[in-house]
Amino acid sequence: MSKIGFLGAGQMAQALASGFVRADLVHPADIVAVDPFPAALASFGKLVPGAAVSDKAAGLAKEVDVIFLAVKPQMMQAAIAGLGKIGDNILLVSIAAGTSLAKLADWTGSTRIIRVMPNTPCLIGESASAFCTGSGATAEDAALIEQLMGAVGVVRKVDEKLMDAVTGLSGSGPAYVYVLIEALADAGVRVGLPRDAALQLAAQTVRGAAGMVLETGDHPGVLKDRVASPGGTTIAGLQALEAGGFRSAAYDAVVAATARSKELGAE
């Protein structure tokens, strides 16, 4: 397996690196993380013991075969400049929202680039990711990314024009689900459940419902109708969700996040 570098050692880099190690695809000794912030390096080293960490980006391209560009979009150009010359022997993998392949090629002087939009559940092997490839990326490069990201969840190849939509849906999506779980748990406490029981039941309910969609292949509407018996408790709850604009709010969240991803790409 390739030696992997991370330019940026934040939460997503930590989640990906630890996920790759957990899946036995990469040995910790074959991982290098670079970040100017000591706290980020300390967290990375704690989560991925045995990985090398450094506050200096220069020379990283000489140590690894793949570099994950894991910095914020606004910091990407400056961070890339710190790498120095990048040869075609290096596969660059950007996980930054909104930053196009064309911009990355301009900043790096390379077209051997792949854009990936993962999400944080890769830490537990449950990520939902999508990727698109630059003109210089080979079929072997794409296969490597499918192997790496597939080991930490589900991965799909898409056209670059869809990457902002992926960001708005699955990239930002875990936060929407956390809000849902928190709200369900709070409501459980409101109607008398102990806090720990309410949170466990809420989280497992979301997990189980998602599993039903993925494993049965049935449309969510069909599964919903199977739960909602005439005049029962579930249909009463669904009516409250509709009255509160739940469906519309979820729709708007994805659209707003997609729009923000496009804005980041234009900055």
Side-chain angles (χ1 to χ4, degrees):
M1 177 55 69
S2 303
K3 191 166 185 178
I4 296 177
F6 288 89
L7 183 63
Q11 292 185 359
M12 186 59 74
Q14 294 170 30
L16 287 171
S18 61
F20 297 159
V21 170
R22 185 177 297 103
D24 291 327
L25 288 179
V26 185
H27 192 275
D30 291 326
I31 294 175
V32 182
V34 173
D35 199 291
F37 298 102
L41 293 177
S43 295
F44 192 101
K46 183 177 180 180
L47 195 60
V48 192
V53 297
S54 173
D55 61 358
K56 294 179 175 58
L60 179 63
K62 297 178 181 179
E63 299 180 47
V64 299
D65 307 299
V66 181
I67 298 178
F68 276 80
L69 304 173
V71 298
K72 295 182 183 302
Q74 303 92 328
M75 301 169 58
M76 182 65 78
Q77 186 174 9
I80 286 173
L83 287 172
K85 182 175 176 56
I86 301 171
D88 289 337
N89 59 312
I90 297 294
L91 171 62
L92 298 172
V93 183
S94 171
I95 63 171
T99 307
S100 69
L101 289 169
K103 276 188 176 181
L104 292 166
D106 183 50
W107 294 339
T108 63
S110 173
T111 58
R112 192 182 172 197
I113 306 169
I114 292 180
R115 282 183 64 189
V116 178
M117 178 46 59
N119 59 17
T120 51
C122 61
L123 184 61
I124 60 168
E126 294 291 349
S127 181
S129 305
F131 74 96
C132 61
T133 58
S135 59
T138 65
E140 290 75 16
D141 293 335
L144 174 63
I145 293 306
E146 287 188 320
Q147 182 183 22
L148 287 170
M149 301 311 300
V152 294
V154 173
V155 59
R156 297 181 68 108
K157 185 177 182 181
V158 300
D159 292 335
E160 186 178 22
K161 65 182 180 181
L162 298 176
M163 288 298 285
D164 291 319
V166 170
T167 302
L169 176 58
S170 56
S172 300
Y176 316 152
V177 178
Y178 298 146
V179 171
L180 170 61
I181 293 171
E182 182 182 37
L184 291 173
D186 284 348
V189 173
R190 172 64 180 83
V191 295
L193 288 170
R195 169 64 65 180
D196 60 341
L199 182 57
Q200 182 182 36
L201 291 170
Q204 180 60 37
T205 296
V206 170
R207 180 181 187 177
M212 287 287 288
V213 173
L214 293 172
E215 293 187 25
T216 67
D218 291 336
H219 190 278
V222 172
L223 294 170
K224 175 205 68 177
D225 288 347
R226 289 176 187 163
V227 182
S229 56
T233 61
T234 303
I235 197 65
L238 289 170
Q239 181 185 17
L241 287 177
E242 293 293 347
F246 176 81
R247 188 188 300 264
S248 178
Y251 187 105
D252 289 345
V254 174
V255 173
T258 299
R260 179 54 182 153
S261 179
K262 292 178 179 179
E263 289 174 359
L264 288 170
E267 291 178 358

